[in-house]
Amino acid sequence: MDPSTIPAPGSSERTRVRRISEKAVEDRGVVEAILDAGLVAHVGIVEESGQPYVVPVAYAREGDRLLFHGSTGSRLFRRLAEGAPTCVTVTLLDGLVLARSAFESSMNYRGVMALGTCTVLDGDERDDALRLISDHLLPGRWGDIRPPSRKEIAATLVLALPLDEVSAKVSDKMPEDDPQDVDRPVWGGVVPLRESFGEPVADERGSAYPVPAYLGSWTR
Amino acid sequence: MDPSTIPAPGSSERTRVRRISEKAVEDRGVVEAILDAGLVAHVGIVEESGQPYVVPVAYAREGDRLLFHGSTGSRLFRRLAEGAPTCVTVTLLDGLVLARSAFESSMNYRGVMALGTCTVLDGDERDDALRLISDHLLPGRWGDIRPPSRKEIAATLVLALPLDEVSAKVSDKMPEDDPQDVDRPVWGGVVPLRESFGEPVADERGSAYPVPAYLGSWTR
């Protein structure tokens, strides 16, 4: 029951895993694979008062930075644009670990936490970022849809967070019950959690067109 | 593409939705249903320096408060125990909204954001909270497993966040393309996202017992 222990990881003192070091992963490839597999990130934003907010966003990874966007009308996103420190966390839940003791019961997960300060993208960089965020959610879609107009782009705040101070934690294990608990007469093991696309539901406005091939049968 | 607009909601000035009011839901039943359906919450914690952290946790709702736990060894959870303001966000992704324009492309989701200050639970309240968090993840499991020992409980920090300042946003819609975009020759609609249990994998330690009935075939 300890996804509560995802905190931390490590490329800097303040992100170093302090408690359950066996779960920390410093491999850059693992960090990138987790970011590339997620659909939503949770962004931490602190108001002047010290009150934090945690906001879900669509995002994409472009090399060594994370891209996401919000409305120019959002006071929270304006805080980020002004250089407020942030934390962006991506969590993939992979399964329930059903141990024979409450204490060892937990979840398998992969998580990335990135700390830093965002920069506001403009011009071609901004336009590219919008395409990359679309490509991240559904590769192939961008070529089919009307790109954003100047007016639409002007209403969109596009931010980039450098992946300098970043780390991952991965828990992929069977229950770690103490020997005296293992013989308890109850099933122990892991129940995987799966995410997948359901049956597409067509918009009745407009003419009927076939479901695009790039929808495929995504599953994780 | 605007789960970035989940911010806010509400029962107080600082959580009131400022931008896309049609998505705000003030119905207490909706707030509770979202919290009861989620498996993970993201908790915002701010260090003395002003640096935010966003940490995934298992949780449960008990009436008008949210329960979650961490390790007593975690400096971030100790911040919460000391009364640092927090934000707990639960996000359920329900589908991709495939519009014919980039700007109207988005996600269907349900989200809750709760602001406040945690209290540390102790004694029977703490013991009950641990059971409720287990029950939230998998009802029925608690009766089968060894309850936590005094020593295990002593290593666990159990926190309760009152659901006073809380709000929900729900987006459950077809693409809202402008009329001139609807006739673009491409499929438009919604692709639902589903979460479900995969095939349970038994721990090879210990004897073989049947998969418990309460595992059922959870799906969302």
Side-chain angles (χ1 to χ4, degrees), chain B:
Chain B
M1 215 87 55
D2 68 354
S4 55
T5 59
I6 284 190
S11 56
S12 79
E13 178 53 30
R14 62 182 178 168
T15 61
R16 187 155 303 129
V17 170
R18 283 171 174 72
R19 227 168 50 74
I20 306 199
S21 56
E22 75 269 24
K23 285 181 184 165
V25 177
E26 310 232 350
D27 181 334
R28 190 78 184 184
V30 173
V31 168
E32 295 183 354
I34 293 169
L35 293 176
D36 293 348
L39 293 178
V40 68
H42 283 83
V43 179
I45 308 168
V46 189
E47 280 202 327
E48 289 86 342
S49 66
Q51 171 67 48
Y53 291 80
V54 176
V55 180
V57 296
Y59 72 94
R61 183 183 66 84
E62 180 195 32
D64 286 338
R65 60 188 189 172
L66 206 69
L67 310 170
F68 58 98
H69 61 65
S71 162
T72 53
S74 156
R75 77 201 150 95
L76 291 175
F77 282 89
R78 284 199 306 266
R79 282 283 293 166
L80 295 184
E82 291 159 9
T86 189
C87 171
V88 178
T89 296
V90 172
T91 307
L92 310 176
L93 291 182
D94 290 331
L96 305 182
V97 180
L98 302 187
R100 290 83 166 181
S101 69
F103 193 74
E104 292 297 340
S105 299
S106 66
M107 293 179 104
N108 281 336
Y109 61 88
R110 290 165 289 157
V112 164
M113 183 181 289
L115 304 182
T117 301
C118 297
T119 55
V120 178
L121 300 188
D122 214 333
D124 288 349
E125 270 202 324
R126 178 179 55 186
D127 297 357
D128 288 347
L130 293 173
R131 179 180 51 77
L132 289 168
I133 294 169
S134 172
D135 284 349
H136 176 82
L137 280 174
L138 189 58
R141 185 64 180 170
W142 189 264
D144 274 352
I145 56 182
R146 179 178 64 72
S149 67
R150 285 296 116 193
K151 188 179 165 194
E152 288 167 345
I153 286 184
T156 307
L157 187 60
V158 183
L159 298 164
L161 177 68
L163 293 172
D164 295 334
E165 203 171 340
V166 65
S167 56
K169 287 187 84 179
V170 173
S171 184
D172 176 16
K173 63 178 188 188
M174 277 289 157
E176 294 178 342
D177 286 310
D178 292 340
Q180 64 270 31
D181 290 324
V182 168
D183 292 327
R184 203 175 169 88
V186 60
W187 188 89
V190 169
V191 185
L193 283 165
R194 299 272 178 249
E195 270 190 296
S196 57
F197 284 163
E199 204 57 45
V201 182
D203 184 4
E204 293 181 359
R205 296 199 305 159
S207 308
Y209 292 98
V211 171
Y214 50 70
L215 256 184
S217 54
W218 180 85
T219 175
R220 186 183 75 207

Side-chain angles (χ1 to χ4, degrees), chain A residues 19 29 64 80 130 186 207 218:
Chain A
R19 224 169 52 75
D64 287 337
L80 295 184
L130 293 173
V186 59
S207 308
W218 178 86

Side-chain angles (χ1 to χ4, degrees), chain A residues 52-112:
Chain A
Y53 291 80
V54 176
V55 181
V57 295
Y59 71 95
R61 182 183 65 85
E62 180 195 32
D64 287 337
R65 59 187 190 173
L66 207 69
L67 310 171
F68 58 100
H69 60 66
S71 162
T72 53
S74 157
R75 77 202 149 94
L76 291 174
F77 281 89
R78 283 199 307 267
R79 281 284 293 168
L80 295 184
E82 290 159 10
T86 189
C87 171
V88 178
T89 296
V90 172
T91 307
L92 311 176
L93 292 182
D94 291 330
L96 305 182
V97 179
L98 301 188
R100 291 83 166 182
S101 70
F103 193 72
E104 292 296 339
S105 299
S106 66
M107 294 178 102
N108 281 336
Y109 61 87
R110 290 165 289 158
V112 164

Side-chain angles (χ1 to χ4, degrees), chain A residues 136-173:
Chain A
H136 176 81
L137 281 174
L138 189 58
R141 185 65 180 171
W142 189 262
D144 275 353
I145 57 181
R146 179 178 63 73
S149 66
R150 286 296 116 193
K151 188 179 165 193
E152 289 167 345
I153 287 183
T156 307
L157 188 58
V158 183
L159 298 165
L161 177 68
L163 294 171
D164 295 335
E165 203 170 340
V166 64
S167 56
K169 285 187 86 179
V170 173
S171 185
D172 177 14
K173 64 178 187 188

